[in-house]
Amino acid sequence: HRLMSAGPKLAPVAFTALDGGGQLAKITMNYPPANLFDSSSLQALGAAMDAVEATSDVRGLVLQSDVRGFFSAGFSLPALYNVDRAGFERLWVTGKHVFRRIYALPVPSIAAIDGHALGLGCVMAMACQRRFM
């Protein structure tokens, strides 16, 4: 179970004031060793999106990683070992819902990719309007 995340390690959403008014929201993932998604990390990402959507003067969103070499390697396979079909469907629907929220943001969203973006990590990057590598 070496690759399973040790629980949510998503930094609080950072807001930076912009010169022309408004704020830039930044969500930073830090789930070593590969920013793997499980139920806890997807819920933390959903809570971060709640904060972004609740801030009326957000002018853009940047998703980035603090894990060297990885944007995200997607689902944590060890987290799926003991999940039944209903549990997997809940996990899949949660992930799909969070990434749809990123996709549907009315402001620009950017994936700052500094490493591998595999599986669900690629889906998250593709949900953003722009990807910078």
Side-chain angles (χ1 to χ4, degrees), residues 13 27 44-54 61 63 98 101-102 105:
V13 180
I27 297 175
L45 185 57
M49 287 302 298
D50 290 343
V52 170
E53 293 168 343
L61 169 66
L63 289 169
V98 170
R101 290 171 67 190
I102 294 169
L105 274 178

Side-chain angles (χ1 to χ4, degrees), residues 11-56:
V13 180
F15 294 96
T16 304
L18 299 173
D19 289 341
Q23 300 184 73
L24 177 67
K26 188 185 309 180
I27 297 175
T28 304
M29 298 174 289
N30 188 8
Y31 301 95
N35 283 333
L36 298 171
F37 287 108
D38 57 16
S39 179
S40 296
S41 57
L42 286 172
Q43 289 174 5
L45 185 57
M49 287 302 298
D50 290 343
V52 170
E53 293 168 343
T55 305
S56 63

Side-chain angles (χ1 to χ4, degrees), residues 10 15 17 19 32 38 42 46 57 72 77-78 83 109 112-113 116 121 123 127:
L10 193 68
F15 294 96
D19 289 341
D38 57 16
L42 286 172
D57 64 343
S72 173
L77 296 180
V83 175
S109 56
I113 304 167
H116 300 288
V123 172

